[in-house]
C-alpha cells in the first residue's frame, strides 16, 4: 500500500506567496499539507475559476471569471479546511499596475463597470483621461475586474502593492 502523505513530498511545489488559494480557508499557510487534491472544489465552483495550480493544488484564476462567494467550494470539500460562511472569505484585494490603459492616457473603464462594490472609481484629471482610484477598504477581492481588463493590469492577491 502506498502512503500518499509521503508521496505528496515528491509532487508538491511551493506556490508563490501571492498565490490566491480558495476563500474561507481556515489555515492558508498549511493548505498544501491538508488538501488531498480530490478536485471536489473545482467541480463545485459555479464560475469555474478554481483550477489546478502548482503541484496540482486548487487555486483561483480570475482571468476566467469572478468569485461570487457562493461557498460551494467549501461545502464540497471533504476535508476540514474552511471557516464558516459567516467569516470574511479572505483578505485579498485588487491592485492596478502601470500597464493600465487609463494610466497610459487611453480611455478605458471596464474594471469599474464590473466592480459591484464600487471599489474602483475614475477621477477626472486635467490633460489626461480619467484615472482609476482603488479603494481597498471597499474591495472584497472578488476578481470581477481582472478578466475584463484588456491589458491584464489588475491583480488580486493577499499582498496589496
Amino acid at each position: 500500500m502506498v502512503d500518499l502523505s509521503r508521496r505528496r513530498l515528491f509532487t508538491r511545489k511551493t506556490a508563490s506567496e501571492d498565490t490566491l488559494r480558495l476563500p474561507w480557508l481556515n489555515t492558508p499557510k498549511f493548505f498544501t499539507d491538508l488538501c488531498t487534491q480530490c478536485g471536489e472544489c473545482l467541480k463545485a465552483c459555479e464560475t469555474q475559476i478554481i483550477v489546478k495550480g502548482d503541484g496540482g493544488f486548487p487555486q483561483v484564476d480570475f482571468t476566467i471569471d469572478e468569485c461570487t462567494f457562493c461557498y460551494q467550494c467549501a461545502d464540497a470539500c471533504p476535508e476540514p479546511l474552511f471557516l464558516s460562511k459567516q467569516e470574511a472569505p479572505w483578505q485579498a484585494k485588487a491592485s492596478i499596475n502601470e500597464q493600465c490603459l487609463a494610466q497610459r492616457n487611453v480611455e478605458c473603464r471596464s474594471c469599474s463597470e464590473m466592480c459591484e462594490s464600487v471599489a474602483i472609481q475614475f477621477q477626472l484629471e486635467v490633460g489626461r483621461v480619467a484615472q482609476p482610484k482603488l479603494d481597498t477598504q471597499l474591495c472584497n477581492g472578488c476578481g470581477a475586474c481582472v478578466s475584463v481588463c484588456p491589458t491584464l493590469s489588475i491583480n488580486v492577491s493577499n499582498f496589496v502593492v
Side-chain angles (χ1 to χ4, degrees), residues 36-56:
T36 60
Q37 301 176 0
C38 68
E40 293 301 314
C41 57
L42 279 77
K43 295 178 207 168
C45 182
E46 68 181 24
T47 56
Q48 301 299 297
I49 62 169
I50 301 175
V51 298
K52 285 191 178 229
D54 287 345

Side-chain angles (χ1 to χ4, degrees), residues 22-90:
L22 305 175
W24 289 287
L25 281 180
N26 190 13
T27 52
K29 181 177 170 182
F30 299 111
F31 176 74
T32 56
D33 294 332
L34 302 172
C35 175
T36 60
Q37 301 176 0
C38 68
E40 293 301 314
C41 57
L42 279 77
K43 295 178 207 168
C45 182
E46 68 181 24
T47 56
Q48 301 299 297
I49 62 169
I50 301 175
V51 298
K52 285 191 178 229
D54 287 345
F57 291 97
Q59 69 182 52
V60 172
D61 183 353
F62 287 127
T63 63
I64 298 169
D65 206 345
E66 68 183 286
C67 182
T68 60
F69 302 114
C70 65
Y71 202 74
Q72 290 179 28
C73 56
D75 281 339
C77 183
E79 303 301 323
L81 297 173
F82 295 91
L83 298 169
S84 75
K85 190 174 185 175
Q86 286 68 43
E87 302 288 329
W90 51 33

